[in-house]
């Protein structure tokens, strides 16, 4: 985009927001085009968020059917499995047919508009078909990342009241088998009410089938009709639920609706990646995360750009996997996470430079702040110094990118998401919620106005939605992020200011890890904080107090890790568990996490005022126990 084109977009929004947002909606095919764009208020007494409310459309038809006349036999997605070179391309016609078959199978099993379906799947083409099938019949998909435990799956099944789960026999990643079906069986034992489990064959492992409940996809696929009408959906009908961690309690079911989400994904994909006819787009994110929804699946498909579905890890079979794959497939845009970049940077330049990478025209990063050193390596080595980088800041809650430099229009700065996209209105506020004006300032990042891709509610708990995002600073959407605006007016996200930890781009709530730890019978109390980590960005540091008379031991440590693996998943296992005789508390009994954070960070000379603690002595014990 040229600076003039970007300026024109900002100007169009500023002069007539309604017309601007209706224009963006024209990127989609509507059964009934909306007469109005945004209708919202962040004020407590009139709180509501609606976009394109009288519009009618179907997202699956937008991703598939509308490409059929011109490009039925073109590639819609490229499946790149764990073992390099064993993948295949799937055309729009094929993906359309499989989506319809899946939709028909779901219908046979009693799934209809508004019903929730849990997906617990590897990155296989059938996963795309399953998501699109839900969208096609108006069912609400909720994808659960394959790294979550059976108990986590059960919690999500119960929370959204799903009666159908779609899974695979096993996952296969980095050469390791992941027992997806076995995990679903365990989840169903914990959360009764699941009537159908559809099992896709990935590895062919021999998995037990429950009579009447379990259905093998391959047994039915060929008899199912390869067409299925796309259900006309109201723009505000829910499209999906995605569970994400917050500062308190169990994960929230973030709800995205159809028209606004699709518009925002289509608009941001166009602005950020400027798709071309010969693109092959590779977003490495798993569909278990929002990035996988918006930019592995929906964004590219909406634009008719072939997308890579990668079911592996960047370091398998070796550190050149991404670069070898880019050359073999002819990838033009790579969109990945800082944690992957840092892991590959550690392996040196050799695995990169032995591959050409000359098909690439754009690089992207997402999920956590990227440190300037990793940014430079990505730019200089991966991009040969010639490729622009989009450092895209956004959240599960925002549906799509909100801030990023735009190649050609914005100058890049290593580590800065730079500027908001058109229609996005960030402000920085202090602890009291007063706006911090001007440049060269830091504060809490809020947004003053809505955008089409904004989440609409927390599934089953609308009050929690309002309380979480709109009460801290009344009238504003609070992102949970700290941020600096530099002297040029460019934004630098500094990370979460709430009790959310970003481990390798995975969002983990401290409260969830704490409750997993205290589930161990010997644990009296636990407090979890983030510590900086070279590779992961942040790591989980847990302080655990055992019951009186109990002594910390390697055996208990193993059990505590197992507890976290059981309640959440291996991705939440702490980097470090420190046994602590006591936790620093105020006289009213509140744990002073500020002090724990400093101890975890190793900034022992910056513990601040400890005189208000009920027992200042515990701090010395914690410092001594840090080792
Ligand atoms: C949190 C949201 C964005 C979708 C995937 C993660 C952090 C995300 C950036 C970035 C700095 C970033 C923020 C945000 N974050 N992208 N480019 N620069 N920080 O979605 O799991 O909902 O996490 O990730 O802290 O609040 P998520």
């Amino acid at each position: 985009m040229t600076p003039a084109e970007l300026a024109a977009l900002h100007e169009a929004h500023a002069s007539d927001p309604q017309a601007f947002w209706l224009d963006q909606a024209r990127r989609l095919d509507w059964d009934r085009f909306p007469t109005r764009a945004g209708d919202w208020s962040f004020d407590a007494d009139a709180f509501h968020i609606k976009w394109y409310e009288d519009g009618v459309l179907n997202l699956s038809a937008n991703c598939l059917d509308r490409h059929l006349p011109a490009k039925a036999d073109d590639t819609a997605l490229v499946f790149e499995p764990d073992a390099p070179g064993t993948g295949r391309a799937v055309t729009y016609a094929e993906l359309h047919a499989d989506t319809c078959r899946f939709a028909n199978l779901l219908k046979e099993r009693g799934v209809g508009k508004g019903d929730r379906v849990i997906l617990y799947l590897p990155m296989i083409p059938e996963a795309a078909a399953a998501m699109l099938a839900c969208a096609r019949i108006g069912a609400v998909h909720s994808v659960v990342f394959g790294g979550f435990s059976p108990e986590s799956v059960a919690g999500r099944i119960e929370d959204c009241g799903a009666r159908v789960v779609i899974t695979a026999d096993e996952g296969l990643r980095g050469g390791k088998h992941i027992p997806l079906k076995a995990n679903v069986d365990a989840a169903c034992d914990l959360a009764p009410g699941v009537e159908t489990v559809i099992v896709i064959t990935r590895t062919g492992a021999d998995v037990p089938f429950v009579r009447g409940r379990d259905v093998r996809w391959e047994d039915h696929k060929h008899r199912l009709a390869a067409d299925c009408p796309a259900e006309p959906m109201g723009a505000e009908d829910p499209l999906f639920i995605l569970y994400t961690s917050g500062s308190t309690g169990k994960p929230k079911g973030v709800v995205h609706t159809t028209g606004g989400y699709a518009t925002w994904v289509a608009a941001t994909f166009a602005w950020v990646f400027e798709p071309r006819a010969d693109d092959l787009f590779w977003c490495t994110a798993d569909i278990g995360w929002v990035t996988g929804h918006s930019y592995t699946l929906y964004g590219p498909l909406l634009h008719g750009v072939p997308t890579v579905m990668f079911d592996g890890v960047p370091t398998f079979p070796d550190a050149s996997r991404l670069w070898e794959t880019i050359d073999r497939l002819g990838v033009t845009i790579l969109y990945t996470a800082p944690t992957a970049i840092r892991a590959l940077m550690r392996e040196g330049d050799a695995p990169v430079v032995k591959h050409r990478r000359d098909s690439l025209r754009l690089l992207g990063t997402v999920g956590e702040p990227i440190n300037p050193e990793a940014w430079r390596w990505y730019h200089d080595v991966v991009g040969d110094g010639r490729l622009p980088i989009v450092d895209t800041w956004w959240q599960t809650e925002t549906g799509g990118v909100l801030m990023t430099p735009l190649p050609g229009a914005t100058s890049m700065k290593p580590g800065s998401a730079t500027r908001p996209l058109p229609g996005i209105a960030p402000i920085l506020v202090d602890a009291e919620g007063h706006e911090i004006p001007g440049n060269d300032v830091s504060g809490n990042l809020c947004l003053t106005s809505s955008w089409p891709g904004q989440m609409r509610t927390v599934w089953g708990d609308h009050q929690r939605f309002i309380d979480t995002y709109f009460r801290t600073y009344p009238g504003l959407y609070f992102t949970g992020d700290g941020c600096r605006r530099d002297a040029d007016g460019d934004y630098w996200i500094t990370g979460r200011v709430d009790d959310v930890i970003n481990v390798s781009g995975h969002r983990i709530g401290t409260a969830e890890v704490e409750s997993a730890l205290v589930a161990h019978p010997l644990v009296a109390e636990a407090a979890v904080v983030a510590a900086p980590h070279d590779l992961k960005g942040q790591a989980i540091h847990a302080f655990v107090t055992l019951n009186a008379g109990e002594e910390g031991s390697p055996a208990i440590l193993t059990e505590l890790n197992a507890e976290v693996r059981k309640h959440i998943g291996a991705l939440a296992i702490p980097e470090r568990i420190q046994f602590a005789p006591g936790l620093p508390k105020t006289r009213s009994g509140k744990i002073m996490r500020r002090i724990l954070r400093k101890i975890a960070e190793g900034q022992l000379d910056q513990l601040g005022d400890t005189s208000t603690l009920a027992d200042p002595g515990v701090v010395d014990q914690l410092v001594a126990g840090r080792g």
Side-chain angles (χ1 to χ4, degrees):
M1 198 182 295
T2 64
E5 284 165 339
L6 180 57
L9 280 174
H10 283 293
E11 169 54 30
H13 177 263
S15 67
D16 189 347
Q18 286 289 334
F20 174 83
W21 290 122
L22 282 176
D23 248 4
Q24 295 308 320
R26 292 200 174 86
R27 297 177 183 278
L28 308 173
D29 282 354
W30 297 76
D31 300 323
R32 187 165 81 219
F33 194 77
T35 57
R36 188 169 179 200
D39 173 6
W40 56 270
S41 168
F42 291 172
D43 291 333
D45 46 0
F47 185 89
H48 67 286
I49 303 171
K50 290 186 171 117
W51 284 88
Y52 311 117
E53 202 191 356
D54 63 352
V56 176
L57 78 168
N58 183 283
L59 184 50
S60 153
N62 269 279
C63 288
L64 300 170
D65 306 44
R66 72 165 165 166
H67 303 312
L68 291 181
K71 43 204 251 180
D73 298 326
D74 289 1
T75 298
L77 63 85
V78 178
F79 173 43
E80 174 68 16
D82 201 42
T86 62
R88 64 191 156 94
V90 178
T91 65
Y92 287 97
E94 288 165 343
L95 189 57
H96 175 265
D98 269 358
T99 296
C100 289
R101 291 190 183 104
F102 239 116
N104 287 324
L105 181 56
L106 288 170
K107 284 210 264 191
E108 278 184 12
R109 303 299 293 195
V111 179
K113 190 170 176 169
D115 292 338
R116 280 79 58 208
V117 177
I118 294 272
L119 280 67
Y120 186 63
L121 285 166
M123 289 287 284
I124 52 180
E126 291 85 350
M131 289 171 76
L132 291 160
C134 290
R136 195 163 191 90
I137 62 173
V140 181
H141 59 67
S142 185
V143 186
V144 181
F145 177 61
F148 282 111
S149 68
E151 194 171 302
S152 291
V153 178
R156 286 148 169 83
I157 290 171
E158 280 191 325
D159 188 80
C160 73
R163 285 177 295 123
V164 175
V165 178
I166 306 175
T167 190
D169 49 2
E170 289 185 320
L172 181 58
R173 229 172 248 194
K176 280 196 253 164
H177 292 248
I178 303 142
L180 296 175
K181 171 62 164 64
N183 287 353
V184 167
D185 288 340
C188 290
D189 290 341
L190 295 168
V194 173
E195 291 157 11
T196 297
V197 176
I198 301 174
V199 186
I200 300 161
T201 304
R202 169 74 178 91
T203 65
D206 190 15
V207 292
F209 268 62
V210 176
R211 256 254 184 86
R213 187 196 73 180
D214 296 353
V215 177
R216 193 191 304 273
W217 163 242
E218 290 75 13
D219 291 347
H220 295 264
K221 180 177 163 175
H222 298 290
R223 67 166 181 84
L224 292 159
D227 62 73
C228 167
E231 184 78 26
M233 300 298 289
E236 280 296 325
D237 286 338
L239 172 70
F240 68 84
I241 304 170
L242 193 55
Y243 286 85
T244 193
S245 296
S247 25
T248 55
K250 55 185 180 113
K252 298 184 284 278
V254 168
V255 176
H256 282 289
T257 56
T258 309
Y261 171 80
T263 300
W264 190 238
V265 167
T268 54
F269 192 83
W271 292 334
V272 179
F273 302 111
E274 297 188 281
R276 299 178 192 171
D278 61 349
D279 271 331
L280 177 59
F281 183 81
W282 187 7
C283 167
T284 61
D286 191 282
I287 48 159
W289 311 110
V290 74
T291 312
H293 284 59
S294 301
Y295 301 109
T296 306
L297 191 71
Y298 287 123
L301 287 178
L302 280 171
H303 282 272
V305 170
T307 181
V308 177
M309 276 189 93
F310 178 43
D311 200 20
V313 293
T315 47
F316 180 86
D318 58 47
S320 65
R321 175 61 187 269
L322 296 188
W323 329 119
E324 180 272 323
T325 304
I326 285 167
D327 280 2
R328 176 164 39 81
L329 300 178
V331 171
T332 60
I333 304 175
L334 176 68
Y335 189 32
T336 193
T339 188
I341 298 166
R342 286 191 297 263
L344 296 172
M345 180 170 82
R346 199 174 61 165
E347 306 288 332
D349 300 359
V352 186
V353 299
K354 73 176 183 199
H355 296 284
R356 299 189 313 276
R357 289 156 288 115
D358 54 356
S359 56
L360 286 173
R361 67 172 181 84
L362 179 60
L363 301 174
T365 156
V366 58
E368 46 175 323
I370 182 163
N371 46 313
E373 194 196 358
W375 191 99
R376 286 207 181 82
W377 184 81
Y378 199 32
H379 183 261
D380 296 348
V381 180
V382 175
D384 281 324
R386 73 181 171 96
L387 301 178
I389 297 178
V390 288
D391 177 354
T392 61
W393 170 81
W394 57 295
Q395 313 179 292
T396 305
E397 293 88 338
T398 72
V401 177
L402 297 192
M403 275 197 224
T404 178
L406 293 173
T410 326
S411 46
M412 302 181 289
K413 287 180 184 176
S416 169
T418 68
R419 297 295 172 114
L421 289 174
I424 301 304
I427 64 165
L428 302 182
V429 300
D430 64 18
E432 281 73 49
H434 300 121
E435 179 170 5
I436 305 171
N439 288 340
D440 208 1
V441 291
S442 293
N444 296 323
L445 179 62
C446 294
L447 298 157
T448 62
S449 58
S450 184
W451 65 99
Q454 182 167 30
M455 73 179 283
R456 299 294 193 269
T457 191
V458 169
W459 182 263
D461 197 348
H462 194 59
Q463 194 56 45
R464 188 171 176 201
F465 173 55
I466 298 171
D467 292 348
T468 306
Y469 301 102
F470 302 94
R471 261 178 63 149
T472 321
Y473 305 115
L476 301 173
Y477 168 79
F478 176 41
T479 64
D481 278 323
C483 183
R484 182 163 75 84
R485 188 166 50 225
D486 70 15
D488 303 325
D490 287 320
Y491 290 86
W492 300 71
I493 309 296
T494 49
R496 304 288 306 197
V497 293
D498 52 6
D499 291 318
V500 169
I501 305 184
N502 193 328
V503 185
S504 302
H506 298 159
R507 191 165 150 176
I508 310 224
T510 51
E512 286 170 69
V513 183
E514 286 164 4
S515 74
L517 292 169
V518 297
H520 190 285
L522 296 185
V523 172
E525 212 170 23
V528 164
V529 297
H533 189 279
D534 283 350
L535 232 47
K536 302 177 178 177
Q538 290 188 319
I540 299 173
H541 195 126
F543 296 87
V544 168
T545 304
L546 299 178
N547 293 338
E550 298 294 341
E551 193 83 37
S553 69
I556 297 185
L557 215 103
T558 308
E559 288 170 23
L560 291 177
N561 286 341
E563 233 22 280
V564 175
R565 182 192 300 271
K566 170 170 168 260
H567 294 292
I568 307 172
L571 73 178
I573 291 178
E575 185 76 15
R576 170 102 209 264
I577 294 179
Q578 179 176 341
F579 292 108
L583 296 174
K585 288 186 191 162
T586 61
R587 279 180 208 106
S588 60
K590 194 170 164 319
I591 296 175
M592 291 188 77
R593 288 164 183 284
R594 174 180 62 80
I595 293 174
L596 293 176
R597 252 179 243 127
K598 291 293 176 197
I599 292 172
E601 285 168 14
Q603 299 187 333
L604 304 179
D605 53 342
Q606 291 176 40
L607 298 179
D609 182 11
T610 54
S611 63
T612 55
L613 291 176
D615 175 10
V618 295
V619 173
D620 298 331
Q621 293 170 330
L622 287 171
V623 169
R626 195 179 175 275

